[in-house]
């Protein structure tokens, strides 16, 4: 029986046992259900196309978002989608529910309602007298898309378009099959994929002219004679043209300007937000255009004497806004109207970048780019290796087509787009041109080393590393028939074509390992790219609950109750700009440029929001001054001067009442504010490149009417900056005022700050830089300087303190804050000026930083590294610098002044370092090998070998070791290989499983998990991998430690056909004896056969559960798109002993699955762990002998159908009564 049929039987069982007719609407948990309508019935079995479905369905994981209370237990599908986005398909076909004690509703005698369209609920009032609803969790059956026909396409155009002829039309449908190319069995849909029908273009009409169109406007509005044109079109057939001209020209008689004194033109000019715009110039379009009027303070204008009998247009012009055009509309009473909307000029920015390509000589290559902005860019320029291409020869626009490409045309291509607002430049794209027959993917794999277990002998060179090979994911030549140049296809990449199984002698046994034998071209991997994190207040850590999330101008979701968020990065994104908005307006909108890993997976990011300053009341009739500066004990950086009558309503009316003004200033003299700053302090220069700014402060403004709270605008206001706060004299001449574009995350120039003229009077002797702005749509401003003294800093992250080149960590977020140090006090910065974050790749990361060639300490950098929210440790700087450990040779290291954050105080954290960003001297050989590189040497920095100077972070953790039979680099998702023995069976979703082991003994012990195939016929008895973990001492319990040991989760293997219950053995080092097993875990395993016997007391063996059990069982399961992040979260929960907490302090007696007691063994006696290392075959035989031949005897013949929801026949374990379903924190029993 197929999985889908079994699932429907389970659904039928769920609806039995006296369940009443389900209801329609789904109320919130705990709310009354008065007035509910009946639910629509679930689809019957006859409505499911089982002929095309095959075994095309699988169950989701179990969900439990509500707990019984109020009116009952409610598990609505909408709520599940809210908390678990993307985990449930659009149209589930079945639903299954069980209590948390794994009992069906009919077994506990409860009336429930379930629908795959709505979800599940249990109402207390419908239960038998004296009984209330249990706590249920549910799962849904989802059809697999890859075995269903798609919808029919539209009929194609007729094959014969000529009139009088007949042809055929076709329509197609696809058998969607998402399985990997390496799958052993492809599912085929039944039926035809193409349908055809006859068609005809109809008889041929006689050619004839259509009616003349209306006369167009006169080329001259007034003053002199002009011309006007009207047109007609030919309705022709068989390419026979109509006789006569298609256009007609007529002279317009000259008219005086103005010629109609009794007529009036009236109109308005407003912004896109409906705010009145004063001082806009209104022109009558013509040659030349005629200035008619200017808009007043309310955005209104009027012009007399304009005749209305001729169609005409008017245009509006204002500095800082794009020109707008509108027709003049007459109402026949002598008054004509025109309404114009002006959009703020916004610099263009790239939304589509050209892609790197590999093509064979002679083929046609297409590059595409696209820019947005206001106005929309229409001029594009293409460059090859930095040289502008001839538009007339190549006839390009936003698309560049190279026909018959030659090897000479290989190289780098980029485009530029320009408007009156500025220029933007795309990222470069590399074109590789291969000769006929040349291969871009070599069949021989590159070297790739993995570390073998400690019991394996070293080679002749003393190394325990083994070469398993790898295929570099380089692009392969495209298919000209399928490639348009602008599509979002996956393309073709070099990848694994064939693997071989080898066996390595290790301590008397053979260790299996799969190595890459051959590489070849295939579809490129397309892993999901995600950014996850948490949004909290910068001052109190309060989470942003249900805040809105925007990508550009598009809302994509909202944060969770704890401020958490997940963002899927759109394909081809170069710069991820995200805006977080507090709906209650307690915080300033946070516009962040978040780092992400383009190769796939998840990057974790902590986002800080700046709290709005409490408003003060101002009198709109008077001039007001608001100080800008928040640092204690220091003078304000500047002030905002608001003249009397400057506050305006959207209509342009001057507001003279009480104003509630909130001006929040982010002061860079306070080091703690760096994380709350918006954007990444970048702007687009005249060449279209994104370049950095150095900030002296940001401020956000919010003006409201005192009584109504309505938003107010302002006319011209003055920003005054204290020149004494600018400690770098060269910055005084370059200081500018900027505003933030929230959609692009780029700062755009508002004006220049110039020295104030005249005297400030006797108030004080300070001198000011003064600039002006109008506060309208944008509310976040910046006092910044374009800084051209720029460098790159090379940083690498390692798995441990050994700094092995093969153990570099990828996906680590390296953050650098530029500091301006106090002269002579490098550890005491005066202010921060900029920050950047970069994600490490296979060759580390290069971070932009300000630098100086004359004064090494002009700028310093504060650098940190995080991986999934975990802080990595920097190399120590005291008591003595070790150049070999830090990664930088002397004397350059001394010039950099490297200091770890605990250099002066050992009690401080060790997770950051600070250096002087001394620009390298090209004439000094000691400074030409990193870690600082000139700004124009980014490529040199990115391609620097690991032997070159670089700065380092490393991961601090307890001793652990991981071995996979099928090699996989968790930091590079493209290295995943589809194989039955793969530790992670699905490259799109990674499920990490850990078991918590308590050890009572005088020391810390190594604990190993050995993971074999348990129930799948293709893997039974074969090794998946090993995990070794050292236990961590519980600081509150004497002679007690705990270990969180990873094991391979049970579930579908990579072919998604059958479930494998992994056979997991947990074996501690030393003379250890198992003394307790979690009662709930033992009960679960006994009720889900087959059961692995545990006769050997030196180990614990189980067939791993398929379901995510939780801390009550001592099992911790987390699913994520990034394997390392899933493991980090699971380990944090395991240490804490909870299902939703996180800790780095071991709580050994909380949430534990199994307990061992270990003693010091007598001299000369080997522990079971050592016997497993030295003679694993004999040790495993010992386990098998003790377990007996009946280990698998309890398994029913169709136990493989467990994952489909079918109850396996056979002996049934004793079930709990409904009254015994209450779960305690920990339950223990004898082994």
């Amino acid at each position: 029986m197929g999985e889908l049929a079994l699932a429907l039987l389970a659904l039928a069982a769920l609806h039995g046992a006296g369940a009443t007719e389900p209801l329609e609407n789904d109320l919130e948990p705990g709310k009354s259900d008065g007035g509910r309508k009946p639910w629509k019935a679930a689809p019957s079995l006859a409505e499911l196309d089982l002929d095309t479905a095959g075994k095309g369905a699988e169950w989701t994981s179990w969900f439990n978002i509500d707990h019984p209370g109020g009116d009952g237990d409610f598990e609505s599908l909408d709520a599940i989608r809210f908390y678990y986005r993307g985990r449930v398909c659009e149209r589930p076909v079945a639903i299954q529910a069980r209590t948390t004690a794994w009992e069906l509703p009919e077994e506990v005698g409860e009336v429930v309602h379930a629908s795959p369209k709505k979800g599940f609920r249990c109402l207390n009032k419908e239960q038998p007298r004296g009984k209330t609803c249990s706590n249920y969790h549910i799962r849904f059956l989802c059809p697999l898309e890859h075995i269903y026909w798609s919808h029919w396409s539209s009929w194609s155009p007729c094959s014969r378009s000529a009139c009088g002829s007949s042809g055929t039309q076709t329509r197609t449908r696809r058998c969607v099959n998402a399985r990997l190319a390496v799958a052993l069995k492809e599912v085929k849909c039944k039926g035809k994929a193409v349908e055809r029908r006859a068609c005809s273009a109809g008889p041929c009409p006689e050619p004839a002219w259509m009616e003349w169109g209306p006369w167009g406007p006169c080329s001259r509005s007034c003053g002199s004679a002009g011309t006007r044109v009207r047109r007609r079109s030919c309705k022709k057939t068989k390419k026979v043209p109509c006789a006569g001209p298609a256009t007609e020209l007529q002279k317009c008689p000259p008219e005086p300007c103005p010629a109609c004194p009794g007529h009036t033109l009236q109109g308005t000019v407003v912004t896109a937000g409906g705010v009145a715009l004063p001082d806009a110039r209104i022109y009558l379009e013509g040659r030349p255009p005629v200035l008619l009027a200017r808009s007043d303070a309310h955005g209104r204008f009027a012009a007399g004497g304009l005749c209305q009998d001729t169609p005409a247009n008017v245009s509006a012009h204002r500095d800082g806004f794009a020109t707008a055009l509108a027709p003049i509309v007459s109402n026949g009473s002598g008054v004509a109207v025109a309404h114009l909307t002006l959009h703020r000029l916004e610099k263009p920015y790239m939304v589509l970048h050209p892609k790197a390509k590999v093509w064979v000589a002679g083929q046609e290559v297409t590059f595409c780019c696209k820019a947005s902005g206001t106005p929309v860019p229409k001029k594009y320029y293409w460059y090859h290796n930095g040289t502008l291409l001839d538009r007339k020869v190549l006839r390009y626009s936003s698309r560049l087509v190279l026909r018959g490409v030659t090897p000479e045309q290989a190289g780098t291509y980029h485009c530029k787009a320009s408007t009156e607002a500025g220029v933007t430049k795309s990222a470069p794209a590399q074109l590789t041109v291969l000769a006929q027959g040349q291969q871009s993917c070599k069949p021989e794999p590159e070297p790739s080393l993995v570390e073998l277990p400690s019991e394996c002998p070293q080679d002749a060179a003393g190394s325990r590393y083994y070469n398993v090979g790898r295929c570099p994911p380089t692009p392969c030549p495209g298919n000209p028939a399928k490639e348009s140049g602008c599509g979002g296809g996956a393309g073709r990449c070099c990848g694994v074509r064939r693997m071989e199984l080898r066996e390595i002698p290790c301590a008397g046994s053979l260790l299996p390992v799969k190595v890459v034998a051959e590489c070849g071209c295939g579809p490129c991997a397309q892993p999901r790219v995600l950014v996850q994190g948490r949004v909290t207040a910068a001052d109190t850590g309060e989470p942003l609950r249900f805040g809105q999330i925007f990508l550009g101008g598009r809302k994509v979701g909202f944060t969770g109750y704890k401020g958490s968020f997940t963002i899927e990065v759109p394909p081809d994104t170069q710069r991820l700009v995200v805006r977080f908005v507090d709906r209650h307006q307690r915080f300033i909108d946070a516009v962040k440029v978040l780092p992400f890993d383009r190769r796939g997976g998840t990057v974790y990011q902590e986002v800080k929001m700046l709290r709005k300053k409490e408003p003060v009341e101002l009198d709109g009739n008077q001039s007001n001054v608001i100080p800008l500066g928040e640092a204690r004990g220091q003078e304000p950086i500047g002030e905002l001067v608001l003249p009397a009558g400057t506050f305006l309503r959207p209509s342009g009316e001057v507001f003279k009442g009480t104003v509630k003004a909130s001006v929040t200033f982010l002061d860079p003299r306070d080091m703690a504010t760096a994380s709350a700053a918006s954007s990444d302090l970048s702007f687009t220069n005249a060449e279209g490149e994104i370049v950095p700014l150095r900030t002296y402060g940001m401020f956000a403004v919010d003006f409201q009417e005192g009584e109504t709270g309505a938003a107010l605008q302002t006319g011209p206001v003055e920003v005054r900056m204290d020149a004494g706060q600018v400690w770098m004299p060269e910055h005084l001449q370059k200081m500018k005022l900027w505003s933030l574009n929230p959609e692009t995350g780029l700062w755009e120039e508002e004006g220049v700050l110039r020295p104030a003229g005249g005297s400030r009077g006797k108030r004080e002797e300070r001198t000011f830089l003064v600039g002006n702005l109008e506060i309208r749509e944008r509310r976040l401003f910046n006092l910044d300087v374009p800084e051209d003294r720029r460098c790159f800093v090379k940083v690498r992250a390692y798995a441990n303190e050994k700094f092995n080149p093969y153990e570099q960590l990828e996906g680590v977020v390296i953050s650098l804050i530029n500091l301006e140090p106090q002269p002579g006090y490098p550890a005491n910065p005066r202010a921060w000026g900029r920050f950047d974050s970069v994600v490490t790749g296979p060759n580390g990361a290069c971070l932009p930083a300000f630098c100086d060639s004359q004064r090494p300490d002009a700028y310093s950098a504060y650098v940190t590294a995080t991986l999934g929210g975990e802080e990595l440790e920097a190399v120590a700087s005291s008591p003595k610098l070790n150049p070999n450990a830090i990664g930088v040779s002397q004397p350059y290291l001394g010039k950099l002044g490297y200091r770890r954050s605990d250099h002066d105080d050992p009690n401080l954290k060790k997770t950051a370092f600070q250096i002087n960003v001394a620009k390298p001297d090209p004439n000094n050989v000691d400074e030409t090998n990193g870690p600082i590189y000139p700004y124009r040497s980014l490529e040199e920095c990115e391609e620097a070998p690991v032997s070159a100077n670089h700065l380092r972070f490393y991961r601090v953790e307890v001793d652990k070791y991981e071995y996979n039979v099928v090699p996989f680099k968790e930091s590079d998702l493209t290295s995943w290989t589809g194989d039955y023995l793969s530790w992670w069976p699905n490259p799109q979703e990674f499920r990490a499983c850990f078991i918590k082991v308590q050890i009572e003994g005088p020391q810390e012990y190594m604990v190993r998990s050995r993971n074999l195939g348990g129930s799948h016929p293709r893997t039974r008895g074969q090794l998946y991998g090993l995990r070794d973990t050292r236990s961590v001492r519980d600081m509150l319990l004497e002679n007690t430690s705990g270990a969180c040991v990873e094991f391979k989760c049970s579930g579908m293997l990579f072919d998604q056909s059958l479930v494998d219950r992994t056979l997991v053995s947990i074996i501690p080092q030393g003379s250890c004896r198992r003394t307790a097993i979690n009662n709930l875990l033992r009960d679960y395993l006994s009720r889900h056969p087959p059961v692995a016997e545990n006769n050997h007391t030196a180990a614990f063996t189980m067939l791993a559960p398929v379901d995510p059990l939780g801390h009550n069982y001592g099992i911790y399961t987390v699913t994520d798109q990034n394997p390392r992040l899933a493991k980090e979260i699971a380990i944090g929960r395991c240490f804490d002993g909870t299902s939703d907490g996180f800790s780095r302090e071991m709580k050994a007696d909380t949430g534990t699955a199994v307990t061992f007691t270990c003693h010091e063994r007598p001299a000369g006696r080997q522990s079971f762990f050592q016997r497993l290392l030295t003679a694993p075959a004999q040790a495993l035989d010992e386990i098998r002998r003790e377990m007996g031949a009946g280990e698998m005897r309890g398994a029913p013949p169709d136990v493989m159908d467990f994952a489909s929801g079918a109850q396996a026949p056979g002996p049934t374990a004793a079930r709990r009564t409904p009254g015994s379903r209450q779960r305690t924190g920990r339950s223990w029993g004898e082994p």
Side-chain angles (χ1 to χ4, degrees), residues 996-1005 1007 1030-1035 1037-1043 1146-1149 1152 1155-1156:
K996 189 168 185 178
V997 180
Q998 179 179 346
I999 298 181
E1000 297 173 351
Q1003 59 186 21
E1004 295 177 342
Y1005 299 84
V1007 183
R1030 182 174 295 278
S1031 63
V1032 178
R1033 176 125 355 241
D1034 189 321
M1035 304 307 294
L1037 299 175
E1038 185 178 0
N1039 291 333
T1040 303
S1041 61
M1146 174 59 71
K1147 302 174 184 177
D1149 62 341
T1152 305
T1155 300
F1156 289 88

Side-chain angles (χ1 to χ4, degrees), residues 662-948:
S662 172
V663 178
T664 307
F665 188 77
L666 187 143
D667 197 328
R669 296 174 298 179
D670 181 358
M671 298 299 119
T673 61
S675 61
S678 279
S679 183
D680 61 352
L681 289 170
S682 298
F683 77 105
T684 305
N685 66 8
E687 298 298 321
E689 299 175 331
I690 296 178
V691 291
L693 291 168
R694 193 274 198 216
T695 187
Y696 280 88
M698 305 178 189
F699 61 97
V701 299
D702 183 21
F703 300 130
Q704 298 179 4
E705 295 185 20
E707 294 184 359
T708 66
L712 294 172
Q713 322 287 324
T714 75
V717 300
E718 194 174 79
V719 179
R720 306 173 68 87
M721 181 178 178
D722 184 357
Q725 298 292 334
V726 182
W727 294 94
M728 294 186 176
E730 60 271 24
H731 287 174
L732 289 172
Q733 305 302 320
K734 300 189 295 182
M735 192 69 64
K736 295 182 179 181
L737 188 61
W738 309 76
S739 66
L740 180 64
N741 185 330
E743 294 190 10
T744 65
L746 295 171
W747 295 89
E748 299 180 5
E749 186 178 335
E750 288 280 344
V752 178
L753 293 174
R754 303 187 185 280
S759 172
R760 287 282 291 167
K762 298 181 180 180
R763 175 171 168 249
E764 54 185 332
E765 296 179 356
R766 292 188 299 169
T767 58
F768 285 88
L769 302 176
V770 179
N772 295 284
L773 60 86
E774 293 181 356
I775 300 174
R776 298 189 183 277
E777 294 93 344
R778 294 188 181 174
R779 298 301 179 98
L780 185 58
F781 303 94
N782 206 345
L783 304 169
D784 277 18
V785 171
E787 179 60 273
D788 54 6
R789 295 176 293 176
R790 308 191 296 270
C791 291
F792 284 99
V793 181
K794 183 73 173 190
V795 182
R796 299 179 189 269
Y798 292 86
N800 51 55
E801 206 171 355
K802 298 177 183 178
F803 305 120
N804 192 318
Y806 296 105
E807 294 180 319
Q808 291 192 63
L809 295 177
E810 302 175 41
V812 177
V813 179
I814 310 292
S815 298
L816 184 150
I817 302 177
N818 285 270
L819 305 176
E820 181 184 341
Q822 294 274 9
Y825 300 93
N828 185 20
R830 178 185 291 126
W832 64 268
R834 178 180 171 77
F835 54 89
D836 285 277
S837 294
V838 177
V839 177
T840 58
N843 201 33
C846 293
L847 291 97
F850 296 145
C851 59
D852 195 287
S853 59
Q854 303 300 320
R855 293 188 297 124
D857 60 348
Y859 278 116
S860 63
Y862 183 85
V863 187
T864 60
T866 59
L867 177 63
E870 174 194 357
E871 295 179 306
L872 273 62
E873 191 163 303
V875 181
S877 59
S878 63
K880 183 180 179 180
L881 286 175
N882 183 350
N884 292 329
I886 295 173
V888 182
S889 60
Q890 292 284 21
Y892 198 20
L893 178 60
K895 187 176 180 179
L896 298 180
Y898 177 92
R899 298 165 62 92
R900 194 168 71 175
S901 49
D902 67 337
H903 183 86
D904 296 319
D905 186 353
N907 294 321
L908 296 179
K909 298 172 72 173
K910 306 174 183 179
T911 54
F913 66 80
Q914 186 171 325
I915 60 170
N916 298 324
V917 191
K919 188 173 182 179
D921 181 357
N923 299 316
N924 188 341
V925 67
D926 294 323
E927 300 180 11
T928 58
N929 194 33
I932 313 297
Y933 294 84
Y935 195 74
R936 296 297 177 185
S937 301
L938 174 59
E939 184 175 353
E940 181 184 351
C941 178
E942 291 178 335
E943 297 178 358
V946 72
S947 59

Side-chain angles (χ1 to χ4, degrees), residues 624-648:
N624 296 277
V625 178
I626 299 177
L628 302 177
E630 299 290 336
R632 289 184 178 181
Q634 300 189 50
E635 292 284 344
I637 284 180
E639 56 191 24
L640 183 64
V641 181
L642 305 164
T646 192
F647 295 106
L648 305 173

Side-chain angles (χ1 to χ4, degrees), residues 273-311:
V275 179
L277 267 180
D279 204 34
R281 303 180 299 279
I282 313 301
Y283 287 88
L284 180 66
E285 288 295 288
R287 298 181 183 178
V290 178
L291 178 63
L292 297 178
R294 289 179 181 268
S295 59
D296 61 15
H298 301 284
R300 296 190 287 263
F301 65 87
L306 189 68
C307 298
Q308 304 170 26
D309 56 349
T310 303

Side-chain angles (χ1 to χ4, degrees), residues 518-602:
E518 183 182 0
C519 301
C521 289
C524 295
Q526 287 188 300
R528 297 176 67 190
V529 181
L530 299 175
V531 175
Q532 292 182 345
R534 199 163 60 105
V535 187
T536 57
D539 52 356
T540 64
E542 172 191 356
L544 176 66
R545 294 189 172 103
F546 309 115
Q548 297 173 321
I549 305 175
F550 293 84
L551 289 184
R554 181 171 57 93
K555 180 180 174 183
V556 297
F558 45 88
T559 61
Y561 181 78
K562 294 185 178 180
S564 59
F565 66 89
T566 299
I567 299 172
E568 183 160 4
V569 181
D572 303 324
T573 297
Q574 294 286 330
R575 196 165 177 269
L576 181 63
V577 180
V578 185
R579 179 161 56 104
F580 299 94
V581 178
D582 177 18
R583 294 181 296 175
H584 303 292
Q585 295 299 303
R586 298 166 302 166
F587 302 103
I588 304 296
D589 291 358
V591 179
K592 299 290 184 178
V593 180
L594 299 181
F596 61 94
D597 193 344
R598 290 182 173 83
R599 295 166 306 157
T602 305

